[in-house]
Structure formats: C-alpha cells, structure tokens
C-alpha cells in the first residue's frame, strides 16, 4: 500500500520547574482518560464465544481497539463526514484502505462511522465520474492528477461494501443515492483504463493502483491485468443487482450483459488451460507466467466454471505453492521471486487478499476449505500476537513506538512472524488493521464461527464445524439482536469407532425478534423458525440414541 508518511517527532522528556506534583497528577489523569478512550465499546459490538481459544478472542478485541483510535473529525475545509475512519498516517485518506477496513468494520456499523467513510469518496466524485484513490485531509482535494498511464484508481470495490452493508442491516435506502455515483465511476474506468491491442476489452491499472506494489509483474502498461479485470466484472455484476433492487430493469440487464462480456474476456484471454491458472496478458497476447495471488480473484466474480474453479483451487491446496505454514502467500512458493520472509507482495501473507480468496471459495461451495484457511490465518495471527517478541532493530522507530503485542500489516508465510516490507529488512507496520483486520473479525464470524447473516429475510445461516464450544453474543443484523452458541461436543466411543458424527448438537441462546436459523452440520441441513425469546435446540443422532446405550 502507498506509504508517504510525515516524520513524527517523539518527545521523551518535559522540563518541570514548579508544582511538579500537580503536573504528574494531570499527566496520570490524561493517560487514564486517553487509555479509556482507546477501548472499543465492547457491549455494543458482537462478542465471540470461544472459551477454549482466548488468544483468538483477544486478537478480535485488539482489532476493534485499534480501529477505535482511528476515528477522525471532518472539517469545513475538507468537507468530509462529521466523523469517519482513517487508518492512514500521512495526511491522506486512501480509497483502498477505507474500502478494505469497511469490509470488517461493517460488523460495528452502528458504533463506527463505516459508511460515512465510504461517503467521503462519493462526495468528491468529479462531473465525469472520476473518484481519486487519494485525497488530502487538509483541503479534501485529490492528491494527484490523473494521466494516461496513471489513472489514480484503486480496486473498484465500493459495491462490495454496499451489498455487504445491505446484507447486515437490511437497509436499502442507500441504493438510490449511490447507484448513479457508482454507475458513472464504472463508465469512467471503462473509458480510461482499457488495455490496448489484443487486450482492449480488458483493464489495466498501475502497481500502486492495484494495491500490490511490488507483486512480480511484467511491464504492463495498457495491458490485461487479472485483478482489475476480475474486479470490473464483479463491479458490473453488483451494479446489476442494485439496479434490479431499484426496479431499473434495463440498467440491470445492461450491467449483467457487461458482466458476462468481461467475464468471457477474462476467461478466454487470461485463463491458461495448461497450468489451470489466470495470468496477466501483454498487449501482444503473451501471458506473464508467474503464479500470484491476483490469479485467484476471478473466483470472487464467479468467472471460471466449476470444473475450472476446482483446478484453480487445487493450487491453493498445494503445499509447494500456496498452502504454506501460513496460508496464502502473495506468490507461489515455487516461483523464483518468492521470499519466505514476506518482502511485501513477493511472498507476504495479507489479510485482505486472504479474505478475497475465502469469499471466492464461498462462491463454489468450498466452505470446508474456506474454514480451514480462515482458521489457519487467524490462529497464526493469534500466536504471533500472544507469543512473538519483535526485534526492535527491525521496526522503523521513526514512525512507530515499540509494540509488544500487535496486529501486523503482513505476515511471513513460513515463520510465526510478521512479514518484511519492501526493503526486505524491516517488518511491515505494527498496529495495522486496514489490510489485516479481516481475519480477526470477518473471517472469525463468517468462517470460523460460521455465521452468515441475511437481514432482508431475517435469516441466519450457521455452518457449524467446530467441536469446541462456539458462538456469538450480541450479533446485530437488521432489527435482530441474537446470542447463540453450540455446546462443546466431546468425542464419544461410538463416533471414534464408526468414524461417523454421532455427537449430540445442543444450541442455546436468545433473540429479540422472530427469525429463521438455517443449520448446516456436515452434510446435514435443516431450518428452524424461532420466535422472540429463547433459542434452544437439541439434536441427537439416531445411532447415538439407539446403539450406544448400555446398562452397567
């Protein structure tokens, strides 16, 4: 991610001539108040129930506490929202870090100014549809001008956030306001970011624009990039859904047609059937054959057929490529440019791309592997958070105070350690959640605990795979607030002997309103409608009841 920081001076001492005791008292009081203000309001946020995994829970709350430190007030000069989130430190707001942060902060939408942060970029849209990736916090002006070679965009994923907000809140009131804004933005990118020659129906961006600055790529000016092309397909698909919701039938059909056109082009131009992978393509029609994390982004847009998707996913499951000790490195481990210590996007594990991959796995019903990947990612982060002691010489102390337990910008794929940044020496940024908060929050809720909310339909889907006690308290979606957990399922002699899941499934909880819960346990699924009040459910497998009862 783009890093242009202003040097921060750190004062380590204060001259005190008189009334020393008074100054000390005031200083202590200030520290107490400041410390309290840095804690997220836990009672108003979803609270994971994972008593056997305290470090995972600590990592979850650490993410919210860091986010709580990044609430900024708008000014008359910049005309930003009254309150918004900015995780950056250089006097800029970044489109990419804001979108990325929103994808997990959305679970605290009524506590934190999530959508207001997105609205900042809509407010700054130019008449022709352009939205910059960087704005100055002082004036609100775009930090840089566009050029033919540098369009100054970021991954166009505003619609992803908007639809996720709708799923969690059931509030569709934003659609009528944001549709014309995002429609114009789509058309601007479609006009200014097309490739040339043999890839004129695909899209290009720049290394900084992609958010993956040093990912090994060819000199790809005006050529066909996998990531931005797949993202534009997803953009068109999401605009079609929003238009349909608004009753704009012709526009819904138009954007669905554009989705199919872009998806067809990605599949025909960028899919390499010999290696079963998506590669960038040059203007002359040559694949740049390096297996990178970008090659998996077509999964999110449901571009490959199921058979091709499974071939692509096989690379994620290959221990010589992407299934390393910490899944998934930004390039395959068998590539020449792979760096086991991270080196930013030449091997580093990033939460935002892991989340994109897991979301892509959902599209192809690969929920089991998605849960495995999420568990690997989150537990690695939790182990590093609780046990790793960083070498202070590898932290850029000019900008950061020495952290003991923190969340890092990126992680090593081989060691339980943070990943190194672009200089291959220093760790990436500590206290950095913009690109790392997805694991501790979204993936924890959605893939580890296994909850999928559908506020418009008052439904909760629970894919329960853990044997330990697990659940959530105070999960808010739409007008529902639910607490629900599954009791620990101890292995029984019968299940150990037969290999079957013969464990009782016992659920407790309560809901403030009526809703439906769809339970998915292994290969079994069923739905239960609950009224306001207790949520109680007990399932005893037939074999458990009939075959394993003896009288001593």
């Amino acid at each position: 991610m783009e890093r242009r920081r202003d040097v921060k001076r750190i004062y380590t001492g204060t001259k005190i001539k008189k009334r020393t005791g008074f100054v000390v008292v005031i200083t202590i009081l200030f520290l107490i108040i400041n410390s309290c203000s840095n804690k997220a309001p836990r009672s108003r946020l979803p609270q994971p129930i994972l008593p056997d995994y305290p470090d995972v829970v600590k990592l979850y709350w650490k993410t919210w506490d860091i986010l709580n430190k990044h609430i900024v007030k708008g000014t008359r000069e910049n005309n930003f929202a009254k309150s918004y989130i900015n995780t950056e430190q250089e006097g800029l707001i970044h489109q990419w870090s804001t979108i990325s942060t929103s994808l997990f902060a959305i679970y605290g939408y009524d506590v934190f100014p999530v959508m207001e942060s997105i609205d900042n970029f809509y407010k700054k849209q130019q008449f022709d549809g352009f939205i910059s990736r960087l704005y100055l916090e002082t004036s609100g002006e775009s930090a840089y001008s566009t050029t033919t070679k540098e369009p100054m965009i970021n991954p166009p994923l505003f619609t992803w956030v908007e639809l996720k907000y709708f799923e969690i809140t059931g509030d569709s009131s934003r659609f009528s306001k944001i549709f014309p804004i995002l429609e114009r933005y789509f058309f601007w990118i479609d006009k200014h970011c097309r490739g040339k020659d043999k890839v004129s129906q695909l899209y290009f961006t720049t290394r900084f624009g992609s958010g993956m600055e040093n990912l090994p790529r060819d000199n790809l000016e005006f050529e066909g990039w996998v990531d931005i092309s797949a993202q534009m397909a997803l953009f068109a698909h999401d605009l079609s859904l929003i238009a349909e919701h608004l009753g704009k039938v012709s526009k819904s059909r138009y954007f669905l047609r554009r989705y199919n056109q872009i998806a067809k082009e990605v599949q025909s131009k960028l899919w390499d059937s010999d290696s079963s992978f998506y590669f960038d393509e040059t203007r002359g029609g040559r694949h740049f054959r390096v297996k990178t994390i970008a090659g998996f982004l077509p999964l999110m847009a449901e571009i490959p057929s199921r058979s091709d998707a499974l071939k692509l996913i096989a690379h994620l499951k290959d221990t010589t490529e992407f299934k390393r000790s910490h899944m998934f490195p930004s390039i395959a481990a068998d590539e020449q440019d792979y760096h086991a210590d991270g080196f930013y996007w030449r091997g580093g594990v990033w939460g935002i791309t892991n989340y994109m991959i897991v979301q892509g796995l959902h599209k192809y019903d690969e929920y089991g592997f998605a849960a495995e990947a999420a568990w690997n990612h989150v537990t690695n982060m939790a182990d590093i958070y609780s046990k790793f002691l960083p070498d202070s010489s590898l932290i850029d102390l000019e900008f950061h105070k020495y952290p003991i337990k923190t969340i890092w910008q990126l992680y090593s794929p081989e060691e339980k350690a943070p990943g190194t940044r672009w200089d291959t020496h220093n760790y990436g940024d500590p206290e950095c959640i913009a690109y790392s908060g997805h694991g501790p929050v979204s993936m924890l809720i959605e893939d580890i605990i296994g909850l999928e909310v559908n506020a418009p339909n008052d439904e909760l889907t629970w894919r329960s795979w853990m044997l330990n006690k697990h659940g959530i308290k105070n999960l808010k979606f739409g007008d529902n607030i639910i607490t629900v957990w599954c009791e620990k399922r101890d292995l029984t002699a019968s299940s150990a002997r037969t290999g079957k899941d013969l464990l009782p499934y016992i659920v407790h909880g309560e809901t403030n309103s009526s809703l439906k819960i769809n339970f998915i346990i292994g290969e079994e699924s069923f739905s239960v409608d609950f009224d306001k009040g207790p949520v109680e459910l007990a399932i005893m497998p037939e074999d458990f009841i009939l075959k394993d009862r003896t009288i001593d």
Side-chain angles (χ1 to χ4, degrees), residues 265-282:
E265 198 71 11
V266 169
Q267 189 65 22
S268 63
K269 295 285 189 182
L270 306 183
W271 175 253
D272 182 77
S273 57
D274 292 335
S275 58
S276 299
F277 208 83
Y278 289 95
F279 297 111
D280 298 330
E281 185 168 294
T282 66

Side-chain angles (χ1 to χ4, degrees), residues 219-479:
N219 184 21
L220 293 177
E221 284 186 359
F222 308 111
E223 299 180 348
W225 294 48
V226 174
D227 42 349
I228 181 68
S229 297
Q231 289 158 357
M232 282 296 285
L234 181 64
F235 193 177
H237 182 271
D238 289 349
L239 284 173
S240 176
L241 292 178
I242 295 171
E244 180 182 15
H245 187 90
L246 292 171
K248 299 178 181 291
V249 178
S250 61
K251 290 196 174 185
S252 179
R253 289 173 179 169
Y254 169 80
F255 281 109
L256 182 59
R257 186 166 62 250
R258 289 294 293 122
Y259 162 74
N260 287 323
Q261 290 169 345
I262 299 168
K264 182 178 179 181
E265 198 71 11
V266 169
Q267 189 65 22
S268 63
K269 295 285 189 182
L270 306 183
W271 175 253
D272 182 77
S273 57
D274 292 335
S275 58
S276 299
F277 208 83
Y278 289 95
F279 297 111
D280 298 330
E281 185 168 294
T282 66
R283 293 165 62 177
R286 176 181 62 85
H287 280 159
F288 184 64
R289 299 176 62 83
V290 178
K291 298 189 295 292
T292 74
I293 208 77
F296 298 106
L297 299 193
L299 292 171
M300 277 187 62
E302 294 185 79
I303 292 174
S305 65
R306 177 158 183 81
S307 60
D308 284 345
L310 293 178
K311 294 174 185 176
L312 179 64
I313 291 168
H315 291 280
L316 292 171
K317 297 180 178 180
D318 190 331
T319 57
T320 68
E321 295 183 44
F322 291 93
K323 193 177 184 181
R324 308 303 288 175
S325 177
H326 192 159
M327 302 150 61
F328 301 105
S330 41
I331 70 169
D334 60 355
E335 294 288 358
Q336 182 178 355
D337 288 320
Y338 176 75
H339 284 254
D341 57 352
F343 189 19
Y344 234 43
W345 292 94
R346 303 226 166 183
V349 176
W350 293 78
I352 177 58
T353 45
N354 272 14
Y355 188 54
M356 288 179 169
I357 288 173
V358 164
Q359 290 292 300
L361 293 173
H362 292 177
K363 300 292 180 68
Y364 293 89
D365 295 323
E366 286 282 317
Y367 287 99
F369 184 48
E372 177 187 348
W375 183 247
N376 171 274
H377 180 53
V378 172
T379 53
N380 269 295
M381 289 182 67
D383 284 347
I384 294 165
Y385 173 77
S386 61
K387 301 172 185 175
F388 180 73
L389 295 176
D391 181 345
S392 61
S393 68
L394 300 180
I395 301 174
D396 191 343
L397 288 175
E398 185 176 12
F399 305 109
H400 299 290
K401 294 182 179 179
Y402 183 82
I404 301 299
K405 293 184 177 182
T406 188
I407 293 174
W408 297 88
Q409 185 182 27
L410 73 157
Y411 292 85
S412 163
E414 307 291 350
E415 305 291 336
K416 287 190 183 294
T420 54
R421 62 182 191 180
W422 57 87
D423 56 14
T424 72
H425 177 71
N426 286 323
Y427 301 134
D429 293 344
E431 298 291 284
C432 185
I433 56 168
Y435 309 106
S436 292
H438 313 81
V441 178
S442 294
M443 291 162 76
L444 177 66
I445 293 172
E446 298 164 9
D447 294 281
I448 294 174
I449 298 174
L451 300 171
E452 178 185 340
V453 301
N454 185 338
N457 293 330
D458 288 325
E459 286 188 11
L460 177 68
T461 298
W462 192 357
R463 293 179 176 84
S464 180
W465 61 272
M466 298 184 76
L467 295 179
N468 301 74
K469 183 176 180 178
H470 62 287
I472 201 159
K473 180 180 180 182
N474 196 39
L475 177 63
K476 183 176 182 180
F477 62 103
D479 59 358

Side-chain angles (χ1 to χ4, degrees), residues 1-52:
M1 311 308 158
E2 291 168 288
R3 315 298 297 173
R4 297 184 178 88
R5 306 184 192 90
D6 295 323
V7 175
K8 291 185 176 179
R9 299 184 183 275
I10 299 175
Y11 294 93
T12 58
T14 303
K15 292 183 179 179
I16 302 174
K17 293 182 178 179
K18 295 181 180 179
R19 304 173 73 178
T20 304
F22 178 79
V23 173
V24 170
V25 169
I26 292 298
T27 302
I28 292 173
L29 181 60
F30 171 79
L31 290 174
I32 291 172
I33 294 172
N34 190 52
S35 175
C36 292
S37 66
N38 287 337
K39 291 289 185 181
R42 299 189 178 191
S43 62
R44 297 176 60 195
L45 292 166
Q47 301 167 33
I49 300 171
L50 292 167
D52 293 338

